[in-house]
Amino acid sequence: MLYLMVPRDTAADNEREAYIVYMGRLPDDVVSLQNDHFSMISQVVEKSIDRKFINKLVLTNGSTFTGRSIIGFNTPKEYLPIVYGKELGNGSCDEYYLKACFRQCIQREKVAGKIVLCNNTEAVQTIGELGPAGLVVPADYPDYANVEPLPSAYLTTWDFEEVVRYHDHARNPTGKIFKSTTDREDGAPFRASFSSYGPNTFFPNIMKPDISAPGIDILAAYSLKAPPSTSPDDPRRVAYNVLTGTSMACPHVAGVAAYVKSFHPDWSPSAIKSAIMTTAQPMMPQLIYEYGYGSGQVDPVKALSPGLVYEIPKEDYLRLLCTKGINVTIVAGKNHTCRGLPKLNVKDVNYPSISLIVHNDTTHFSANVSRTVRNVGPTNSTYKLSVVADPKVNITVEPDVLYFDAAHHTRSFTVSVAVSGLQFREIVSSELAWSDGTHSVRSPIVLFKDNE
């Protein structure tokens, strides 16, 4: 899915300039769109917020299990019988399909009025119409909740197995599922467990994803034509729903981009992208570092005043495509071809982040990366460098102070990176930041050892 800001015509060549925000992998047909110059594309991953929806399953032996579901209605107060899919068969299926609660395998009269244990997270779609009083299933992803049409508890695999053991050993297993409540999400913001991640396979030296935005359990407008849950039998209709996914995160970033554009109508898409990335709030480190969450959590207020921006000229995008043998005439129009364009080293694209791939047969690796920033802050500014480097990485920057005596002036610098001792598939993360005491212009530096 793409969220496209309203394009503007440039008087110079009447080509449209647009800002695109997308989720997951970039569609293959983007480059086939003629007469559109997509001078900036942002990949967004979903992150958690500091609120979560939970509900509880309580067994008669006193055990309580916390699940992730959105049950907005009152649930039965009495304890109800707990049954397992494997004992509900009609004689047409083996145990595997019974445990998964396949619809064609289950007898209706064995389900009605009972809490059913199913190994299948989509059980509400398969046996919901048979009239169970509730469902208990293992959650594929434990970090978000779905709106459910009946009392349901989505548990971790470990907890689900505990409930199964209780069922198998209790003489009369019973329990009750409670209405959902909210709780604080400890550790937020963190990347969603189901989100795609980098590095960028097409251009490994351009870091992807770019940014993280709220995408888990988001209150969003919703169609009155569809049920709020995944069950087709759900008769409810709502104007707002709680949704999860990159389809929630992308509108946040598209909205921030439009917000920044409204204050700075003369800024290019690459300047807007730079502002969003360099002012992002750092996130809690995870195994794949910025390849999982980009530059960090988007910050709309700080993005309005980044101090410095990294801009990428149109020609560099075309040169970038030319390195992959792409026909830029299809992308940029008949007046543009790869013939005559100077070659471009991808690592030197003026991106707000740095991604370097270390070949697996390399013991010691070093690279020099060039960057240029434009002053969009106070006329007279001095920016000093700070570097936070992984112990395995040595980073030097020349110069380490940038002086500006006019608005919109540019300054260039070179980043020298050296690393040794990386293991195969190891990722190390560092960062550099330019600060004038008011603004902090932060850029991640990520290295990844691979076969490529």
Side-chain angles (χ1 to χ4, degrees):
M1 184 180 298
L2 301 176
Y3 293 85
L4 177 61
M5 281 181 58
V6 177
R8 66 179 177 87
D9 290 334
T10 57
D13 55 10
N14 200 37
E15 289 179 337
R16 293 193 294 172
E17 191 174 53
Y19 184 110
I20 297 178
V21 182
Y22 75 98
M23 58 186 185
R25 297 186 61 184
L26 184 64
D28 294 334
D29 60 354
V30 165
V31 294
S32 70
L33 299 175
Q34 296 187 22
N35 301 321
D36 284 301
H37 168 44
F38 296 123
S39 61
M40 174 155 164
I41 299 176
S42 289
Q43 186 185 24
V44 183
V45 296
E46 59 272 67
K47 69 164 191 70
S48 64
I49 58 177
D50 61 1
R51 182 262 294 135
K52 64 181 176 181
F53 293 95
I54 62 170
N55 70 327
K56 296 184 183 295
L57 165 68
V58 177
L59 307 178
T60 44
N61 67 356
S63 298
T64 299
F65 300 90
T66 300
R68 297 292 290 263
S69 299
I70 301 175
I71 312 297
F73 46 84
N74 292 324
T75 59
K77 295 181 179 180
E78 66 274 13
Y79 285 89
L80 299 173
I82 297 177
V83 295
Y84 195 9
K86 66 182 180 180
E87 61 192 88
L88 309 177
N90 54 21
S92 62
C93 301
D94 61 28
E95 186 174 281
Y96 173 84
Y97 294 101
L98 288 172
K99 287 183 176 180
C101 298
F102 275 48
R103 169 66 182 86
Q104 64 271 25
C105 305
I106 304 298
Q107 279 187 263
R108 180 184 295 269
E109 58 270 20
K110 294 183 178 181
V111 170
K114 299 179 176 67
I115 295 175
V116 183
L117 304 178
C118 296
N119 289 9
N120 179 10
T121 56
E122 298 180 355
V124 68
Q125 300 177 43
T126 60
I127 66 167
E129 64 176 24
L130 300 183
L135 290 173
V136 179
V137 298
D140 283 339
Y141 302 102
D143 48 4
Y144 74 97
N146 282 323
V147 173
E148 300 298 334
L150 72 162
S152 307
Y154 284 73
L155 307 179
T156 64
T157 301
W158 176 266
D159 284 350
F160 178 78
E161 293 299 332
E162 281 290 307
V163 178
V164 170
R165 280 190 285 272
Y166 161 76
H167 165 270
D168 291 344
H169 293 93
R171 179 173 297 180
N172 181 32
T174 59
K176 56 182 176 180
I177 298 173
F178 286 79
K179 181 180 178 179
S180 297
T181 60
T182 59
D183 198 3
R184 182 172 180 81
E185 181 67 274
D186 294 330
F190 54 80
R191 167 185 169 272
S193 61
F194 50 86
S195 186
S196 58
Y197 52 87
N200 182 346
T201 56
F202 200 61
F203 292 113
N205 289 123
I206 293 182
M207 191 186 81
K208 294 293 178 178
D210 294 306
I211 197 75
S212 294
I216 295 179
D217 294 346
I218 304 301
L219 180 65
Y222 200 69
S223 171
L224 294 172
K225 298 293 185 181
S229 70
T230 57
S231 172
D233 302 312
D234 190 343
R236 297 173 296 172
R237 296 296 181 268
V238 295
Y240 293 90
N241 201 357
V242 176
L243 302 174
T244 291
T246 37
S247 55
M248 295 295 100
C250 278
H252 279 87
V253 177
V256 172
Y259 180 57
V260 173
K261 185 74 170 178
S262 71
F263 282 83
H264 304 286
D266 59 330
W267 281 15
S268 68
S270 61
I272 295 172
K273 178 174 186 176
S274 173
I276 290 173
M277 291 177 63
T278 60
T279 60
Q281 299 177 15
M283 290 176 60
M284 181 174 61
Q286 293 172 276
L287 185 62
I288 52 178
Y289 296 99
E290 283 82 2
Y291 287 143
Y293 47 77
S295 293
Q297 176 181 237
V298 64
D299 187 327
V301 176
K302 288 186 177 180
L304 290 179
S305 180
L308 306 174
V309 292
Y310 296 82
E311 290 196 286
I312 306 176
K314 169 184 171 180
E315 288 70 23
D316 280 4
Y317 283 98
L318 299 182
R319 293 164 64 195
L320 189 64
L321 296 176
C322 289
T323 65
K324 294 295 184 179
I326 294 174
N327 183 355
V328 296
T329 301
I330 297 176
V331 180
K334 63 182 179 180
N335 294 328
H336 302 278
T337 66
C338 289
R339 186 179 302 127
L341 284 176
K343 291 184 177 181
L344 175 68
N345 193 323
V346 177
K347 68 178 175 61
D348 289 323
V349 173
N350 201 39
Y351 217 67
S353 58
I354 296 173
S355 173
L356 296 171
I357 304 300
V358 181
H359 297 292
N360 191 38
D361 58 357
T362 302
T363 304
H364 301 282
F365 171 85
S366 62
N368 294 325
V369 179
S370 300
R371 291 291 187 268
T372 299
V373 288
R374 179 166 67 92
N375 181 25
V376 293
T379 300
N380 295 301
S381 302
T382 299
Y383 283 83
K384 297 181 180 180
L385 175 74
S386 64
V387 173
V388 178
D390 181 274
K392 294 183 179 180
V393 182
N394 182 57
I395 298 173
T396 58
V397 180
E398 181 61 37
D400 59 2
V401 179
L402 301 178
Y403 299 97
F404 297 91
D405 56 9
H408 307 297
H409 276 197
T410 61
R411 295 290 183 265
S412 297
F413 58 92
T414 300
V415 183
S416 299
V417 181
V419 64
S420 59
L422 286 188
Q423 303 299 311
F424 177 59
R425 306 290 290 179
E426 184 179 359
I427 300 170
V428 291
S429 173
S430 304
E431 68 173 49
L432 66 83
W434 296 102
S435 176
D436 64 350
T438 301
H439 306 91
S440 180
V441 188
R442 189 178 62 90
S443 294
I445 303 173
V446 191
L447 289 87
F448 176 49
K449 192 164 189 178
D450 200 6
N451 284 327
E452 295 299 325

